[in-house]
PDB file of all heavy atoms in Angstrom:
ATOM      1  N   GLN B   1     133.514 166.695 167.697  1.00 85.00           N
ATOM      2  CA  GLN B   1     132.989 165.333 167.629  1.00 85.00           C
ATOM      3  C   GLN B   1     134.086 164.394 168.085  1.00 85.00           C
ATOM      4  O   GLN B   1     135.260 164.758 168.088  1.00 85.00           O
ATOM      5  CB  GLN B   1     132.554 164.981 166.207  1.00 85.00           C
ATOM      6  CG  GLN B   1     133.707 164.962 165.219  1.00 85.00           C
ATOM      7  CD  GLN B   1     133.229 164.885 163.794  1.00 85.00           C
ATOM      8  OE1 GLN B   1     132.313 165.599 163.411  1.00 85.00           O
ATOM      9  NE2 GLN B   1     133.835 164.030 163.010  1.00 85.00           N
ATOM     10  N   LEU B   2     133.708 163.211 168.488  1.00 90.00           N
ATOM     11  CA  LEU B   2     134.712 162.239 168.908  1.00 90.00           C
ATOM     12  C   LEU B   2     135.445 161.716 167.679  1.00 90.00           C
ATOM     13  O   LEU B   2     134.831 161.424 166.661  1.00 90.00           O
ATOM     14  CB  LEU B   2     134.045 161.088 169.661  1.00 90.00           C
ATOM     15  CG  LEU B   2     133.309 161.490 170.947  1.00 90.00           C
ATOM     16  CD1 LEU B   2     132.650 160.271 171.582  1.00 90.00           C
ATOM     17  CD2 LEU B   2     134.226 162.186 171.923  1.00 90.00           C
ATOM     18  N   SER B   3     136.764 161.585 167.790  1.00 92.00           N
ATOM     19  CA  SER B   3     137.556 161.120 166.659  1.00 92.00           C
ATOM     20  C   SER B   3     138.555 160.031 167.032  1.00 92.00           C
ATOM     21  O   SER B   3     139.203 159.472 166.164  1.00 92.00           O
ATOM     22  CB  SER B   3     138.300 162.295 166.018  1.00 92.00           C
ATOM     23  OG  SER B   3     139.208 162.867 166.938  1.00 92.00           O
ATOM     24  N   ILE B   4     138.680 159.727 168.319  1.00 96.00           N
ATOM     25  CA  ILE B   4     139.549 158.620 168.724  1.00 96.00           C
ATOM     26  C   ILE B   4     138.769 157.337 168.469  1.00 96.00           C
ATOM     27  O   ILE B   4     137.674 157.155 168.985  1.00 96.00           O
ATOM     28  CB  ILE B   4     139.943 158.725 170.205  1.00 96.00           C
ATOM     29  CG1 ILE B   4     140.806 159.965 170.435  1.00 96.00           C
ATOM     30  CG2 ILE B   4     140.678 157.462 170.656  1.00 96.00           C
ATOM     31  CD1 ILE B   4     141.141 160.232 171.891  1.00 96.00           C
ATOM     32  N   THR B   5     139.349 156.475 167.656  1.00 95.00           N
ATOM     33  CA  THR B   5     138.655 155.226 167.315  1.00 95.00           C
ATOM     34  C   THR B   5     139.254 154.068 168.114  1.00 95.00           C
ATOM     35  O   THR B   5     138.930 153.891 169.277  1.00 95.00           O
ATOM     36  CB  THR B   5     138.683 154.987 165.796  1.00 95.00           C
ATOM     37  OG1 THR B   5     140.035 154.962 165.341  1.00 95.00           O
ATOM     38  CG2 THR B   5     137.900 156.067 165.049  1.00 95.00           C
ATOM     39  N   THR B   6     140.143 153.292 167.512  1.00 97.00           N
ATOM     40  CA  THR B   6     140.684 152.099 168.182  1.00 97.00           C
ATOM     41  C   THR B   6     142.083 152.309 168.761  1.00 97.00           C
ATOM     42  O   THR B   6     142.551 151.490 169.532  1.00 97.00           O
ATOM     43  CB  THR B   6     140.714 150.904 167.213  1.00 97.00           C
ATOM     44  OG1 THR B   6     141.511 151.238 166.083  1.00 97.00           O
ATOM     45  CG2 THR B   6     139.304 150.540 166.766  1.00 97.00           C
ATOM     46  N   LYS B   7     142.768 153.389 168.392  1.00 97.00           N
ATOM     47  CA  LYS B   7     144.089 153.674 168.958  1.00 97.00           C
ATOM     48  C   LYS B   7     143.894 154.457 170.248  1.00 97.00           C
ATOM     49  O   LYS B   7     143.805 155.684 170.244  1.00 97.00           O
ATOM     50  CB  LYS B   7     144.973 154.451 167.983  1.00 97.00           C
ATOM     51  CG  LYS B   7     146.393 154.655 168.522  1.00 97.00           C
ATOM     52  CD  LYS B   7     147.213 155.554 167.614  1.00 97.00           C
ATOM     53  CE  LYS B   7     148.615 155.777 168.122  1.00 97.00           C
ATOM     54  NZ  LYS B   7     148.755 156.210 169.488  1.00 97.00           N
ATOM     55  N   ILE B   8     143.802 153.741 171.343  1.00 98.00           N
ATOM     56  CA  ILE B   8     143.589 154.342 172.658  1.00 98.00           C
ATOM     57  C   ILE B   8     144.809 154.006 173.504  1.00 98.00           C
ATOM     58  O   ILE B   8     145.090 152.835 173.762  1.00 98.00           O
ATOM     59  CB  ILE B   8     142.298 153.805 173.314  1.00 98.00           C
ATOM     60  CG1 ILE B   8     141.096 154.118 172.423  1.00 98.00           C
ATOM     61  CG2 ILE B   8     142.131 154.392 174.707  1.00 98.00           C
ATOM     62  CD1 ILE B   8     139.809 153.444 172.859  1.00 98.00           C
ATOM     63  N   ASP B   9     145.520 155.045 173.927  1.00 98.00           N
ATOM     64  CA  ASP B   9     146.736 154.836 174.706  1.00 98.00           C
ATOM     65  C   ASP B   9     146.510 154.964 176.206  1.00 98.00           C
ATOM     66  O   ASP B   9     147.257 154.399 176.997  1.00 98.00           O
ATOM     67  CB  ASP B   9     147.820 155.816 174.234  1.00 98.00           C
ATOM     68  CG  ASP B   9     148.199 155.542 172.783  1.00 98.00           C
ATOM     69  OD1 ASP B   9     148.691 154.440 172.508  1.00 98.00           O
ATOM     70  OD2 ASP B   9     147.973 156.424 171.932  1.00 98.00           O
ATOM     71  N   ARG B  10     145.498 155.708 176.598  1.00 98.00           N
ATOM     72  CA  ARG B  10     145.075 155.795 178.006  1.00 98.00           C
ATOM     73  C   ARG B  10     143.560 155.927 177.991  1.00 98.00           C
ATOM     74  O   ARG B  10     142.988 156.476 177.057  1.00 98.00           O
ATOM     75  CB  ARG B  10     145.714 156.999 178.704  1.00 98.00           C
ATOM     76  CG  ARG B  10     147.217 156.818 178.935  1.00 98.00           C
ATOM     77  CD  ARG B  10     147.838 157.932 179.738  1.00 98.00           C
ATOM     78  NE  ARG B  10     147.143 158.166 180.993  1.00 98.00           N
ATOM     79  CZ  ARG B  10     147.385 159.209 181.794  1.00 98.00           C
ATOM     80  NH1 ARG B  10     148.290 160.105 181.467  1.00 98.00           N
ATOM     81  NH2 ARG B  10     146.719 159.378 182.913  1.00 98.00           N
ATOM     82  N   GLU B  11     142.930 155.437 179.052  1.00 98.00           N
ATOM     83  CA  GLU B  11     141.463 155.496 179.099  1.00 98.00           C
ATOM     84  C   GLU B  11     140.970 155.489 180.533  1.00 98.00           C
ATOM     85  O   GLU B  11     141.680 155.078 181.453  1.00 98.00           O
ATOM     86  CB  GLU B  11     140.861 154.317 178.344  1.00 98.00           C
ATOM     87  CG  GLU B  11     141.167 152.977 178.977  1.00 98.00           C
ATOM     88  CD  GLU B  11     140.769 151.785 178.112  1.00 98.00           C
ATOM     89  OE1 GLU B  11     141.241 151.697 176.970  1.00 98.00           O
ATOM     90  OE2 GLU B  11     139.993 150.950 178.617  1.00 98.00           O
ATOM     91  N   HIS B  12     139.741 155.948 180.696  1.00 97.00           N
ATOM     92  CA  HIS B  12     139.074 155.856 181.996  1.00 97.00           C
ATOM     93  C   HIS B  12     139.032 154.381 182.387  1.00 97.00           C
ATOM     94  O   HIS B  12     138.725 153.529 181.538  1.00 97.00           O
ATOM     95  CB  HIS B  12     137.663 156.434 181.885  1.00 97.00           C
ATOM     96  CG  HIS B  12     136.937 156.481 183.189  1.00 97.00           C
ATOM     97  ND1 HIS B  12     136.375 155.364 183.763  1.00 97.00           N
ATOM     98  CD2 HIS B  12     136.690 157.513 184.033  1.00 97.00           C
ATOM     99  CE1 HIS B  12     135.794 155.703 184.908  1.00 97.00           C
ATOM    100  NE2 HIS B  12     135.975 157.008 185.085  1.00 97.00           N
ATOM    101  N   PRO B  13     139.330 154.045 183.643  1.00 97.00           N
ATOM    102  CA  PRO B  13     139.387 152.631 184.032  1.00 97.00           C
ATOM    103  C   PRO B  13     138.087 151.847 183.830  1.00 97.00           C
ATOM    104  O   PRO B  13     138.111 150.627 183.708  1.00 97.00           O
ATOM    105  CB  PRO B  13     139.791 152.662 185.505  1.00 97.00           C
ATOM    106  CG  PRO B  13     139.661 154.076 185.950  1.00 97.00           C
ATOM    107  CD  PRO B  13     139.657 154.948 184.734  1.00 97.00           C
ATOM    108  N   GLU B  14     136.955 152.535 183.777  1.00 97.00           N
ATOM    109  CA  GLU B  14     135.668 151.851 183.598  1.00 97.00           C
ATOM    110  C   GLU B  14     135.052 152.119 182.230  1.00 97.00           C
ATOM    111  O   GLU B  14     133.868 151.825 182.013  1.00 97.00           O
ATOM    112  CB  GLU B  14     134.702 152.302 184.699  1.00 97.00           C
ATOM    113  CG  GLU B  14     135.181 151.955 186.100  1.00 97.00           C
ATOM    114  CD  GLU B  14     134.413 152.687 187.180  1.00 97.00           C
ATOM    115  OE1 GLU B  14     133.384 153.321 186.887  1.00 97.00           O
ATOM    116  OE2 GLU B  14     134.868 152.642 188.337  1.00 97.00           O
ATOM    117  N   LEU B  15     135.820 152.663 181.295  1.00 97.00           N
ATOM    118  CA  LEU B  15     135.315 153.065 179.979  1.00 97.00           C
ATOM    119  C   LEU B  15     134.600 151.927 179.260  1.00 97.00           C
ATOM    120  O   LEU B  15     133.460 152.070 178.813  1.00 97.00           O
ATOM    121  CB  LEU B  15     136.483 153.570 179.118  1.00 97.00           C
ATOM    122  CG  LEU B  15     136.139 154.021 177.697  1.00 97.00           C
ATOM    123  CD1 LEU B  15     135.438 155.366 177.742  1.00 97.00           C
ATOM    124  CD2 LEU B  15     137.407 154.116 176.853  1.00 97.00           C
ATOM    125  N   LYS B  16     135.239 150.782 179.165  1.00 98.00           N
ATOM    126  CA  LYS B  16     134.678 149.656 178.410  1.00 98.00           C
ATOM    127  C   LYS B  16     133.549 148.972 179.180  1.00 98.00           C
ATOM    128  O   LYS B  16     132.534 148.590 178.588  1.00 98.00           O
ATOM    129  CB  LYS B  16     135.781 148.673 178.049  1.00 98.00           C
ATOM    130  CG  LYS B  16     136.757 149.272 177.045  1.00 98.00           C
ATOM    131  CD  LYS B  16     137.937 148.361 176.782  1.00 98.00           C
ATOM    132  CE  LYS B  16     138.913 149.053 175.850  1.00 98.00           C
ATOM    133  NZ  LYS B  16     140.206 148.388 175.792  1.00 98.00           N
ATOM    134  N   GLU B  17     133.714 148.823 180.479  1.00 98.00           N
ATOM    135  CA  GLU B  17     132.657 148.187 181.280  1.00 98.00           C
ATOM    136  C   GLU B  17     131.372 149.010 181.250  1.00 98.00           C
ATOM    137  O   GLU B  17     130.280 148.455 181.186  1.00 98.00           O
ATOM    138  CB  GLU B  17     133.126 147.966 182.726  1.00 98.00           C
ATOM    139  CG  GLU B  17     134.069 146.800 182.881  1.00 98.00           C
ATOM    140  CD  GLU B  17     133.517 145.488 182.317  1.00 98.00           C
ATOM    141  OE1 GLU B  17     132.354 145.130 182.597  1.00 98.00           O
ATOM    142  OE2 GLU B  17     134.269 144.822 181.569  1.00 98.00           O
ATOM    143  N   TYR B  18     131.505 150.329 181.308  1.00 97.00           N
ATOM    144  CA  TYR B  18     130.320 151.191 181.244  1.00 97.00           C
ATOM    145  C   TYR B  18     129.623 151.018 179.899  1.00 97.00           C
ATOM    146  O   TYR B  18     128.394 150.908 179.835  1.00 97.00           O
ATOM    147  CB  TYR B  18     130.709 152.654 181.482  1.00 97.00           C
ATOM    148  CG  TYR B  18     129.528 153.596 181.487  1.00 97.00           C
ATOM    149  CD1 TYR B  18     128.642 153.625 182.560  1.00 97.00           C
ATOM    150  CD2 TYR B  18     129.282 154.446 180.417  1.00 97.00           C
ATOM    151  CE1 TYR B  18     127.549 154.484 182.561  1.00 97.00           C
ATOM    152  CE2 TYR B  18     128.196 155.306 180.410  1.00 97.00           C
ATOM    153  CZ  TYR B  18     127.334 155.316 181.476  1.00 97.00           C
ATOM    154  OH  TYR B  18     126.248 156.157 181.486  1.00 97.00           O
ATOM    155  N   ALA B  19     130.402 150.992 178.822  1.00 97.00           N
ATOM    156  CA  ALA B  19     129.828 150.808 177.476  1.00 97.00           C
ATOM    157  C   ALA B  19     129.105 149.466 177.386  1.00 97.00           C
ATOM    158  O   ALA B  19     128.024 149.380 176.793  1.00 97.00           O
ATOM    159  CB  ALA B  19     130.915 150.913 176.424  1.00 97.00           C
ATOM    160  N   LYS B  20     129.670 148.426 177.972  1.00 97.00           N
ATOM    161  CA  LYS B  20     129.012 147.106 177.967  1.00 97.00           C
ATOM    162  C   LYS B  20     127.717 147.148 178.774  1.00 97.00           C
ATOM    163  O   LYS B  20     126.694 146.613 178.347  1.00 97.00           O
ATOM    164  CB  LYS B  20     129.955 146.039 178.537  1.00 97.00           C
ATOM    165  CG  LYS B  20     130.919 145.532 177.489  1.00 97.00           C
ATOM    166  CD  LYS B  20     132.008 144.592 177.949  1.00 97.00           C
ATOM    167  CE  LYS B  20     131.711 143.505 178.872  1.00 97.00           C
ATOM    168  NZ  LYS B  20     132.872 142.626 179.135  1.00 97.00           N
ATOM    169  N   SER B  21     127.757 147.830 179.928  1.00 97.00           N
ATOM    170  CA  SER B  21     126.561 147.887 180.775  1.00 97.00           C
ATOM    171  C   SER B  21     125.409 148.628 180.109  1.00 97.00           C
ATOM    172  O   SER B  21     124.242 148.367 180.390  1.00 97.00           O
ATOM    173  CB  SER B  21     126.889 148.535 182.126  1.00 97.00           C
ATOM    174  OG  SER B  21     127.029 149.937 181.999  1.00 97.00           O
ATOM    175  N   LYS B  22     125.728 149.538 179.197  1.00 96.00           N
ATOM    176  CA  LYS B  22     124.709 150.298 178.471  1.00 96.00           C
ATOM    177  C   LYS B  22     124.267 149.599 177.189  1.00 96.00           C
ATOM    178  O   LYS B  22     123.350 150.063 176.518  1.00 96.00           O
ATOM    179  CB  LYS B  22     125.234 151.701 178.115  1.00 96.00           C
ATOM    180  CG  LYS B  22     125.420 152.592 179.306  1.00 96.00           C
ATOM    181  CD  LYS B  22     124.072 152.948 179.867  1.00 96.00           C
ATOM    182  CE  LYS B  22     124.135 154.068 180.860  1.00 96.00           C
ATOM    183  NZ  LYS B  22     122.828 154.381 181.417  1.00 96.00           N
ATOM    184  N   GLY B  23     124.955 148.504 176.822  1.00 95.00           N
ATOM    185  CA  GLY B  23     124.616 147.787 175.601  1.00 95.00           C
ATOM    186  C   GLY B  23     125.192 148.430 174.344  1.00 95.00           C
ATOM    187  O   GLY B  23     124.790 148.120 173.232  1.00 95.00           O
ATOM    188  N   TRP B  24     126.165 149.310 174.512  1.00 95.00           N
ATOM    189  CA  TRP B  24     126.777 150.006 173.376  1.00 95.00           C
ATOM    190  C   TRP B  24     127.882 149.177 172.733  1.00 95.00           C
ATOM    191  O   TRP B  24     128.267 149.411 171.600  1.00 95.00           O
ATOM    192  CB  TRP B  24     127.370 151.338 173.799  1.00 95.00           C
ATOM    193  CG  TRP B  24     126.387 152.304 174.413  1.00 95.00           C
ATOM    194  CD1 TRP B  24     125.030 152.323 174.265  1.00 95.00           C
ATOM    195  CD2 TRP B  24     126.704 153.399 175.264  1.00 95.00           C
ATOM    196  NE1 TRP B  24     124.482 153.351 174.971  1.00 95.00           N
ATOM    197  CE2 TRP B  24     125.490 154.037 175.603  1.00 95.00           C
ATOM    198  CE3 TRP B  24     127.892 153.908 175.784  1.00 95.00           C
ATOM    199  CZ2 TRP B  24     125.437 155.155 176.421  1.00 95.00           C
ATOM    200  CZ3 TRP B  24     127.839 155.019 176.597  1.00 95.00           C
ATOM    201  CH2 TRP B  24     126.620 155.636 176.911  1.00 95.00           C
ATOM    202  N   TRP B  25     128.460 148.250 173.486  1.00 96.00           N
ATOM    203  CA  TRP B  25     129.585 147.440 173.021  1.00 96.00           C
ATOM    204  C   TRP B  25     129.409 146.036 173.571  1.00 96.00           C
ATOM    205  O   TRP B  25     129.093 145.861 174.747  1.00 96.00           O
ATOM    206  CB  TRP B  25     130.891 148.077 173.494  1.00 96.00           C
ATOM    207  CG  TRP B  25     132.142 147.367 173.107  1.00 96.00           C
ATOM    208  CD1 TRP B  25     132.564 147.068 171.847  1.00 96.00           C
ATOM    209  CD2 TRP B  25     133.143 146.865 173.989  1.00 96.00           C
ATOM    210  NE1 TRP B  25     133.777 146.428 171.891  1.00 96.00           N
ATOM    211  CE2 TRP B  25     134.155 146.284 173.198  1.00 96.00           C
ATOM    212  CE3 TRP B  25     133.303 146.849 175.382  1.00 96.00           C
ATOM    213  CZ2 TRP B  25     135.295 145.695 173.741  1.00 96.00           C
ATOM    214  CZ3 TRP B  25     134.435 146.266 175.920  1.00 96.00           C
ATOM    215  CH2 TRP B  25     135.418 145.701 175.104  1.00 96.00           C
ATOM    216  N   ASP B  26     129.611 145.037 172.713  1.00 96.00           N
ATOM    217  CA  ASP B  26     129.387 143.653 173.142  1.00 96.00           C
ATOM    218  C   ASP B  26     130.589 143.025 173.840  1.00 96.00           C
ATOM    219  O   ASP B  26     130.498 141.914 174.358  1.00 96.00           O
ATOM    220  CB  ASP B  26     128.960 142.786 171.953  1.00 96.00           C
ATOM    221  CG  ASP B  26     130.018 142.680 170.863  1.00 96.00           C
ATOM    222  OD1 ASP B  26     131.170 143.121 171.072  1.00 96.00           O
ATOM    223  OD2 ASP B  26     129.674 142.163 169.778  1.00 96.00           O
TER     224      ASP B  26
END
């Protein structure tokens, strides 16, 4: 299961934008 919460040290460059486009994150 996913366990990384808010401590993210590296990420996919479009991780947050994709989540916003899907309505998962405001």
Side-chain angles (χ1 to χ4, degrees):
Q1 64 191 45
L2 299 178
S3 63
I4 295 175
T5 57
T6 59
K7 185 186 180 309
I8 301 171
D9 296 298
R10 289 186 53 189
E11 65 189 57
H12 184 283
E14 298 166 10
L15 179 74
K16 292 174 184 167
E17 284 306 313
Y18 182 73
K20 277 173 44 176
S21 75
K22 291 291 193 181
W24 301 338
W25 180 58
D26 63 9

